[in-house]
Amino acid sequence: MYAQMVKTDADRVRSLDEMSAHERAFQERVDRGEKIEPKEWMPEAYRKTLIRQIGQHAHSEIVGQLPEGNWITRAPTLERKAILLAKVQDEAGHGLYLYCAAETLGVSRDELLALLHSGKMKYSSIFNYPTLNWADIGAVGWLVDGAAIMNQVQLQKTSYGPYSRAMIRICKEESFHQRQGYDIMMKMAAGSPEQKRMAQDALNRFWYPSLMMFGPSDADSVHSAQSMAWKIKINTNDELRQKFVDQTVPQAKYLGLTIPDENLKWNEEKGGYDFSEPDWDEFFEVINGNGPCNKERLGARVKAWEDGRWFRDGLNAHAEKAAARRAAAKIAAE
Amino acid sequence: MSASANPQVSQEAMVEFLLRMGDSTLILGHRVSEWCGHSPVLEEDIALANTALDLIGQTQMWLGLAGEIEGKGRDADKLAFLRDAVDFRNALITERPNGDFGMTLMRQFLFDAYHFQLLGKLEGSSDARVAEIAAKAKKEVAYHLERSADLVIRLGDGTDESRKRMQAALDELWGYTGELFIPDAVDEAIAAAGIAPNPADLRAPWLAEMSAVLQDATLKIPASTYAHKGGKKGVHSEYLGHLLAQMQFLQRAYPGCTW
Ligand SMILES: [Fe+2]
Ligand SMILES: [Fe+2]
Ligand SMILES: [Fe+2]
Ligand SMILES: [Fe+2]
Ligand SMILES: [Fe+2]
């Protein structure tokens, strides 16, 4: 997902009896489905975990501008260009909502960005894959936004108020993202032989990285159990992955494209598809910086930040001057 | 077929005028969109994408009308993606490379201030279709100008470095502003028919706006009055060919496809 493998600091999930009175009252509120608001008491570990999760999600939104931005200048029609611009603008907006949500937990956007730039915080592994042909833009909307939606729809119910509200705003825009992606795929899959080839090639390259977005199986993960107890994670990674596969397979069929998995088969008993796991070694390589675009993606963000320093400094200096002038004018008037 | 309802001006002149409008918004919109994901702060990523989006939307309207009046079956996409540089009519300033963020902002401000004046007059065009597009575009451009002027002031009157960068940008781009106000025969004919103002008449109000903002920004208007020209005649800089090579790649490499 946009936040993969978020640590909680927990070594196990404690029962209500083992908690302090504060913790217990907190957990009972979460259990009742109440929203926790910024000024209210919360366990330190809950706050820290949320910062990691929301921060990683925010970083994913802004790094996520890059693979799609790679095709804005080459979009094939004016309408496609406009749609893609609107989509990427939305992603930047999502980043903004999420950094604001994180700020309510006492961490500034600049602090979070510094952690991203130094490599101490991650963004979703998916954005370390390249967009090589125009159908990749379709595949990103269809599969990547599609996978993100699976998670984000659930997170609208999350226990932390500002996070939940950010998710509600984000989800409103995400369905447009997935639709525009699928619409590109429909045009490509029904197009010339070259276009079909691009569409199949895009699916071949994005299928497994999309499955990786949900993270490795966490059925036995204490972090996931703790996060689920806190309702900052609603489903296990495997549940979401299964749901995604079940939703996507018929869509691929409708396009006339082949999912690159020989083991893909409907399983009547479980009422879902059996499918191959992605290559988790590759996933950990990507997470550790060895994906095809890690250097470019992070490098681009760091460069934007460094190159923009004079701009931000200039605006700050102006604000200070303006404030000083206002103060002087006020004194002169008195 | 000619959709041109204005008997006082030739179809060619009308198409030419509309290409000038649409090509400038297209090329500037393209340049701005190059920033996507690379700007100095998240708010600027959002604002620039929004500006580019507005300009591309305006392009669809101007080039759409140009193709309709031309009557040769070319729609806005065909005009955007299947003409070579020699047939582009954008002002040279719009194809200037982005440079640093200061250069991009200054280019935007110089163009926005002109664009806003122009659209204000076009709202009263004798051609209802032109007036309609202008009214829509003017609302967007009013916001572009408000934003670019504000940033030029804050960065000009910011740090020493930001002032230096903004002054350098102004010095470099100034020579590309003159062209915007120099009329040719097409402009004269279009102006005579009341379709658009004479570009020369836009210079004074533009300069007034310019001077006010640049003074607040503590920036100095360059003394040189030299004007690079050529955009209106299809004589462009080397940059435009590269921009088109990128922009038109898919349509050129895979002709006749639906996207
Ligand atoms: Fe939007
Ligand atoms: Fe998003
Ligand atoms: Fe996204
Ligand atoms: Fe999205
Ligand atoms: Fe807009």
Side-chain angles (χ1 to χ4, degrees):
Chain A
M1 201 31 51
Y2 277 18
Q4 295 158 319
M5 304 201 303
V6 177
K7 293 228 167 69
T8 58
D9 295 345
D11 47 16
R12 65 190 176 82
V13 181
R14 289 176 305 155
S15 68
L16 286 175
D17 302 336
E18 297 171 279
M19 293 178 186
S20 72
H22 262 111
E23 286 172 319
R24 192 177 161 149
F26 173 86
Q27 187 61 52
E28 282 167 350
R29 289 187 62 199
V30 170
D31 291 344
R32 282 195 300 270
E34 286 178 32
K35 294 276 177 262
I36 309 300
E37 295 301 333
K39 293 263 152 60
E40 297 168 342
W41 188 88
M42 62 186 79
E44 187 56 16
Y46 173 85
R47 194 182 69 85
K48 277 195 188 154
T49 305
L50 266 176
I51 288 175
R52 286 191 201 115
Q53 180 170 333
I54 299 174
Q56 210 182 104
H57 192 160
H59 297 331
S60 297
E61 299 284 357
I62 61 163
V63 176
Q65 293 181 94
L66 298 170
E68 291 180 289
N70 183 40
W71 278 92
I72 286 179
T73 54
R74 289 178 291 171
T77 67
L78 294 171
E79 170 142 36
R80 287 288 173 212
K81 203 185 188 68
I83 291 172
L84 187 55
L85 270 165
K87 199 258 187 195
V88 175
Q89 184 195 27
D90 281 350
E91 303 300 5
H94 298 174
L96 203 56
Y97 306 158
L98 287 161
Y99 286 121
C100 290
E103 272 172 358
T104 65
L105 294 160
V107 62
S108 72
R109 197 202 309 180
D110 284 5
E111 287 173 87
L112 288 173
L113 287 175
L115 291 167
L116 170 69
H117 297 159
S118 66
K120 291 197 185 93
M121 271 184 98
K122 305 282 186 212
Y123 53 88
S124 176
S125 57
I126 191 72
F127 300 119
N128 290 312
Y129 289 86
T131 51
L132 301 178
N133 77 53
W134 171 251
D136 286 15
I137 298 308
V140 168
W142 172 35
L143 301 174
V144 175
D145 288 87
I149 292 169
M150 293 267 134
N151 187 42
Q152 290 170 350
V153 163
Q154 300 302 314
L155 282 173
Q156 294 180 101
K157 294 180 289 199
T158 188
S159 61
Y160 189 55
Y163 192 25
S164 162
R165 290 188 287 275
M167 281 303 141
I168 290 168
R169 291 178 76 181
I170 287 174
C171 283
K172 285 205 182 99
E173 296 176 335
E174 287 296 348
S175 55
F176 147 67
H177 295 178
Q178 196 185 20
R179 243 181 301 124
Q180 64 87 36
Y182 195 69
D183 191 56
I184 291 176
M185 291 310 275
M186 287 208 291
K187 292 277 177 346
M188 299 296 281
S192 70
E194 289 99 332
Q195 285 177 303
K196 271 181 213 157
R197 184 179 171 210
M198 288 184 224
Q200 184 62 54
D201 176 45
L203 175 56
N204 291 348
R205 281 180 290 103
F206 274 96
W207 174 251
Y208 287 106
S210 298
L211 296 186
M212 290 177 199
M213 285 177 70
F214 300 94
S217 179
D218 59 353
D220 307 321
S221 159
V222 65
H223 299 305
S224 288
Q226 178 62 73
S227 286
M228 288 170 92
W230 281 333
K231 289 195 186 154
I232 59 180
K233 182 179 174 78
I234 312 292
N235 301 91
T236 67
N237 295 347
D238 290 325
E239 282 166 359
L240 289 173
R241 189 168 16 250
Q242 182 70 52
K243 220 173 149 195
F244 173 75
V245 171
D246 292 344
Q247 172 187 292
T248 308
V249 171
Q251 293 172 343
K253 276 203 188 119
Y254 183 78
L255 292 171
L257 298 177
T258 309
I259 293 195
D261 181 359
E262 287 175 0
N263 301 318
L264 190 75
K265 212 174 81 227
W266 178 256
N267 180 332
E268 192 61 50
E269 210 171 305
K270 78 171 177 187
Y273 286 91
D274 290 332
F275 58 94
S276 301
E277 288 281 308
D279 177 352
W280 292 111
D281 291 338
E282 175 182 318
F283 171 77
F284 286 108
E285 287 295 348
V286 173
I287 289 282
N288 289 325
N290 294 323
C293 297
N294 292 60
K295 291 212 168 56
E296 285 85 352
R297 299 292 186 244
L298 190 57
R301 292 307 311 172
V302 170
K303 183 174 191 305
W305 189 249
E306 298 291 330
D307 289 355
R309 188 178 309 280
W310 72 270
F311 172 87
R312 297 186 303 274
D313 289 349
L315 295 188
N316 287 337
H318 181 84
E320 278 166 29
K321 282 188 199 177
R325 280 195 288 253
R326 273 195 303 275
K330 201 175 159 205
I331 290 166
E334 274 161 10
Chain B
M1 181 213 76
S2 166
S4 173
N6 205 314
Q8 295 159 57
V9 71
S10 72
Q11 186 189 22
E12 287 75 25
M14 191 64 189
V15 171
E16 185 74 16
F17 160 70
L18 292 167
L19 290 178
R20 290 175 185 184
M21 296 302 299
D23 287 347
S24 282
T25 53
L26 173 58
I27 300 304
L28 185 60
H30 181 98
R31 278 291 187 226
V32 174
S33 78
E34 291 172 5
W35 274 102
C36 218
H38 303 277
S39 82
V41 280
L42 198 42
E43 285 81 354
E44 289 304 312
D45 274 331
I46 294 171
L48 289 178
N50 186 50
T51 301
L53 193 52
D54 288 342
L55 291 169
I56 298 304
Q58 292 167 22
T59 303
Q60 288 176 294
M61 295 190 281
W62 292 124
L63 293 187
L65 184 55
E68 198 183 307
I69 291 176
E70 185 191 51
K72 290 183 189 161
R74 295 201 287 184
D75 59 11
D77 281 336
K78 288 210 171 84
L79 288 169
F81 295 96
L82 299 175
R83 280 178 301 152
D84 203 347
V86 69
D87 291 321
F88 268 77
R89 295 293 180 262
N90 60 288
L92 294 179
I93 191 169
T94 62
E95 68 198 51
R96 299 303 300 161
N98 284 341
D100 70 0
F101 202 72
M103 188 72 75
T104 290
L105 267 178
M106 186 56 80
R107 181 186 65 200
Q108 193 66 39
F109 170 60
L110 295 170
F111 186 81
D112 286 346
Y114 153 80
H115 202 190
F116 184 71
Q117 294 295 335
L118 174 58
L119 291 171
K121 298 287 183 203
L122 290 180
E123 266 186 313
S125 172
S126 62
D127 187 307
R129 295 161 303 181
V130 170
E132 197 186 319
I133 297 173
K136 215 174 154 232
K138 195 185 142 197
K139 288 195 198 101
E140 297 170 340
V141 171
Y143 174 70
H144 300 176
L145 176 59
E146 193 185 307
R147 184 183 154 269
S148 62
D150 177 60
L151 282 171
V152 164
I153 291 170
R154 287 154 70 191
L155 292 168
D157 184 23
T159 59
D160 286 345
E161 185 184 2
S162 70
R163 176 188 288 118
K164 237 182 259 165
R165 284 178 185 260
M166 296 314 285
Q167 185 66 54
L170 180 58
D171 293 346
E172 182 164 329
L173 291 168
W174 189 250
Y176 296 92
T177 58
E179 177 188 52
L180 300 169
F181 307 104
I182 302 173
D184 66 2
V186 171
D187 293 315
E188 312 267 0
I190 290 288
I195 294 166
N198 188 314
D201 296 338
L202 297 175
R203 189 154 200 278
W206 175 81
L207 200 57
E209 163 96 43
M210 200 53 38
S211 308
V213 169
L214 292 176
Q215 188 175 10
D216 282 355
T218 71
L219 298 175
K220 268 179 46 200
I221 292 183
S224 167
T225 55
Y226 181 76
H228 293 279
K229 293 181 284 287
K232 285 178 185 183
K233 285 192 304 198
V235 184
H236 291 276
S237 66
E238 290 179 347
Y239 297 114
L240 185 65
H242 292 278
L243 185 156
L244 295 181
Q246 189 174 50
M247 185 176 87
Q248 299 179 338
F249 158 66
L250 284 170
Q251 291 274 1
R252 299 291 194 179
Y254 305 99
C257 290
T258 303
W259 303 95

